[in-house]
Amino acid sequence: MSWQSFVWIGLPLLAGALIPIQTGANRMVAVRLENPLVAAGASMAIASVVLIVIGFSSLRQGAFAAALHALPIWAWAGGLLGAFFVTGAIVIAPRIGATSYLLLVFVGQMVMAVLTDRFGLFGFAPRPVNPVQILGVLGTILAATLALGSSRS
């Protein structure tokens, strides 16, 4: 395997591994502040500052203004969707557990990913979806169902 393959496989795995840590850290802030929305906002603000500093330092002259005019309005919803995810993790994960919460998130991601690939949604080119991918999604749904069922006993 080439080093590029390692990067393209390793970074998403690392990003996924960091989500439970992010959830726990955000939950600690929410408990201390006694307000999950302020905690989510603080998390998003820190991320925004870091990304804006890094992003704008490498942005081509005039690219931001051009993007403002060229992109459809829904393309700017990423921050709103991120706020929904972060707030949901802070509020829901402690109630149902990190495993159940993240399995449900993963089920939602996989179902939407299959639909996105199949129908070319959200700026992605249409791609065929094969039976093995569908089986993988069904396996994820089964895993989430088992995890939720075991957390009730």
Side-chain angles (χ1 to χ4, degrees), residues 111-121 124-129 133:
V111 168
M112 186 53 72
V114 166
L115 293 172
T116 298
D117 277 347
R118 173 65 180 91
F119 298 108
L121 305 174
F124 284 85
R127 298 174 69 107
V129 175
Q133 291 169 312

Side-chain angles (χ1 to χ4, degrees), residues 3-143:
W3 71 269
Q4 287 120 339
S5 296
F6 179 76
V7 169
W8 296 132
I9 293 170
L11 287 180
L13 288 173
L14 177 61
L18 295 176
I19 290 174
I21 298 168
Q22 177 194 30
T23 300
N26 288 340
R27 179 66 184 162
M28 289 179 76
V29 173
V31 167
R32 179 62 69 176
L33 294 176
E34 299 177 3
N35 190 317
L37 294 176
V38 173
S43 176
M44 300 296 288
I46 292 166
S48 294
V49 168
V50 168
L51 293 171
I52 286 170
V53 168
I54 293 170
F56 275 105
S57 68
S58 63
L59 193 62
R60 180 179 47 81
Q61 182 82 18
F64 188 74
L68 279 175
H69 298 293
L71 288 170
I73 192 74
W74 68 263
W76 297 99
L80 177 64
L81 301 175
F84 181 83
F85 172 79
V86 169
T87 304
I90 291 169
V91 173
I92 299 167
R95 287 170 174 75
I96 67 172
T99 302
S100 294
Y101 177 75
L102 291 172
L103 275 168
L104 289 169
V105 167
F106 189 60
V107 167
Q109 287 175 321
M110 294 310 303
V111 168
M112 186 53 72
V114 166
L115 293 172
T116 298
D117 277 347
R118 173 65 180 91
F119 298 108
L121 305 174
F122 314 114
F124 284 85
R127 298 174 69 107
V129 175
N130 65 51
V132 174
Q133 291 169 312
I134 300 296
L135 192 58
V137 172
L138 293 174
T140 305
I141 292 169
L142 176 62

